[in-house]
Amino acid sequence: MAGRAGRLGFNEIGKAIILADTPVERAQLFHKYVLGRPEDVTSSFKQRDLPTWILRLLSQVRGVRAEDIPGLLVNTFGGYSASRANPQWMRQIEIDISALVTRLLQAGLAEHDGDLLHLTLLALYASGLR
């Protein structure tokens, strides 16, 4: 698995590290990943999982402006791919995220601190993130 080995539009070259437990495994991995044919790059982002992605994002930051969330998603590989495939994707994501944020606020799982949105302690404990 390689993650964040480069960032589309920012870095054209990335680094990947291969770890092996034995010399035999090291040789096998070298032949597969260095000398072999590169695997297609795929994203784990699926639009149906948008609530999970929003919770993951909010669990990793002190706060984020709700209107910045779509831009953060479009800067992921999955978001980049989706927006290239469908020019209307960003507008739909903005609508979906707005509805999700409203639901989180109404349920007491998120709150505003000034203009920043963050998860409440209830959300963090209920989700096992704390």
Side-chain angles (χ1 to χ4, degrees), residues 32-100:
K32 181 176 181 179
Y33 292 107
V34 177
L35 300 178
R37 182 178 179 274
E39 297 172 8
D40 290 336
V41 177
T42 59
S43 173
S44 61
F45 178 81
K46 304 286 184 266
Q47 191 155 341
R48 70 175 186 268
D49 298 328
L50 187 60
T52 300
W53 283 90
I54 301 303
L55 287 173
R56 286 180 180 175
L57 169 67
L58 291 174
S59 72
Q60 296 175 24
V61 297
R62 286 194 158 165
V64 64
R65 292 176 2 153
E67 59 267 20
D68 291 340
I69 295 173
L72 292 169
L73 287 179
V74 82
N75 282 321
T76 66
F77 178 72
Y80 171 82
S81 299
S83 64
R84 296 260 314 185
N86 176 6
Q88 300 303 316
W89 181 82
M90 183 69 160
R91 182 65 192 131
Q92 185 58 51
I93 284 295
E94 289 171 345
I95 293 167
D96 293 349
I97 289 171
S98 178
L100 284 167

